[in-house]
Amino acid sequence: MTLSHAAKEMGKWCDAMTGVEGSSGYLALIIFTAVGWLWINDSLPFQKNGQQKHEEEEEEEAPDPPRNFTTKQLRHFDGTVDEKTDDKKPVYLSVAGTVFDCSNGRDFYGPGGPYEVFAGRECGAALATMSFDEKLLDDVAACEKLGVGDRNELQNWLEKFEHYRCYPIKGKLVPDDKLPSPDRIITMEELRKYDATIEDIPDSKELDGYATCPIYVGAGDKVFDVSFGGVTMYGKGGPYQRFAGKDASRALALMSFDPKDAENPDISDLDETKIKVLNDWINTFENKKGYPVAGRLGKKK
């Protein structure tokens, strides 16, 4: 059947169905009008699918910026079910201080797996020596004491995780003995220094092993290092960067983004309700988020 013959047959069918001679022309006009409207409004199925695919590609989540971990924070990521959300937690392993997301290897490192004891732990020395000895866990320094053969094996594990298994690197584990004393006095000058604008970690013994430069936020008389899990919020471009490098006590108490409150730490004129809000923030920082206390501001109580 030729195209012209098919068109004639379609016209006869339209006339028979509508009882109006030449109705196929009206039908074609309606179809073309509808297609045009859909085209103008980007509603054609093939357009929408293509556009949706493009948008999905654009909306693919970028990897989280590297963060620092305390030993206690790392223990949370053991692959067990989170009691608060009923979701399975990620499986993180630290190998010689480098924290990998091994969730794709949950069958091996998650609950019930042959290496589940390593989940949420520093296990570099244990992997290098193929040992499950508890004494070798959570000890980054033990990796530096390995013999030549075991060091080569440790390097093999690192290469396997990063290049063969392609486990994402989440950051660095900072051992407790490498954290600054929570009782040291931090000057306002030092506080302002760590305002999330330093891109490269300063070459200093104190920051050796850090994944990212410290980010300090003052609250009450304490200074918290929020680079331990709060980089996306308080780091460069984050919604709370305005508090980084500042004593944000007043702004936190007032739940305020006003620059004047961020620059003014005085809370002497605030009522008990506002002080309670500030204390709730401090409790969240210290106990819920687990941000380490990097020092104190030496305020008069």
Side-chain angles (χ1 to χ4, degrees), residues 21-33:
E21 185 175 355
S23 59
S24 59
Y26 295 105
L27 179 61
L29 181 61
I30 293 172
I31 292 174
F32 285 129
T33 302

Side-chain angles (χ1 to χ4, degrees), residues 139-157:
D139 188 358
V140 177
C143 297
E144 302 173 0
K145 303 173 185 177
L146 296 172
V148 176
D150 290 336
R151 285 188 181 183
N152 290 336
E153 188 60 30
L154 175 60
Q155 188 61 37
N156 289 338
W157 276 101

Side-chain angles (χ1 to χ4, degrees), residues 19 26 63 71 75 113 147 159 167 192 228 233 249 258 301:
Y26 295 105
T71 300
R75 290 295 292 267
E159 291 180 0
Y167 293 142
R192 286 191 291 268
F228 286 77
M233 300 301 291
S249 298
D258 189 329
K301 296 184 178 180

Side-chain angles (χ1 to χ4, degrees), residues 76-238:
H76 171 77
F77 300 98
D78 60 1
T80 59
V81 175
D82 192 321
E83 295 179 357
K84 297 179 181 178
T85 64
D86 290 330
D87 295 327
K88 291 182 179 179
K89 293 182 285 188
V91 181
Y92 289 179
L93 271 67
S94 173
V95 182
T98 299
V99 179
F100 293 91
D101 183 352
C102 301
S103 299
N104 288 338
R106 184 180 296 273
D107 291 343
F108 288 94
Y109 304 104
Y115 299 107
E116 66 175 327
V117 68
F118 297 152
R121 312 288 292 272
E122 159 59 38
C123 57
L127 287 173
T129 58
M130 295 302 292
S131 171
F132 292 96
D133 190 341
E134 181 76 18
K135 295 179 181 178
L136 293 176
L137 298 179
D138 301 326
D139 188 358
V140 177
C143 297
E144 302 173 0
K145 303 173 185 177
L146 296 172
V148 176
D150 290 336
R151 285 188 181 183
N152 290 336
E153 188 60 30
L154 175 60
Q155 188 61 37
N156 289 338
W157 276 101
L158 285 168
E159 291 180 0
K160 176 182 177 180
F161 275 30
E162 184 174 359
H163 302 296
Y164 180 65
R165 295 297 182 186
C166 297
Y167 293 142
I169 294 177
K170 306 303 290 186
K172 289 283 190 176
L173 172 65
V174 181
D176 292 344
D177 61 355
K178 297 293 185 181
L179 295 173
S181 170
D183 296 319
R184 73 188 181 107
I185 300 300
I186 294 179
T187 64
M188 295 303 295
E189 181 181 2
E190 183 179 2
L191 177 64
R192 286 191 291 268
K193 178 181 177 181
Y194 296 111
D195 61 354
T197 60
I198 302 177
E199 296 185 1
D200 297 324
I201 302 174
D203 186 13
S204 67
K205 185 178 180 182
E206 291 78 12
L207 300 180
D208 185 35
Y210 276 61
T212 187
C213 193
I215 302 172
Y216 285 175
V217 175
D221 66 338
K222 298 179 179 179
V223 175
F224 295 92
D225 186 349
V226 298
S227 69
F228 286 77
V231 178
T232 55
M233 300 301 291
Y234 299 91
K236 190 174 182 179

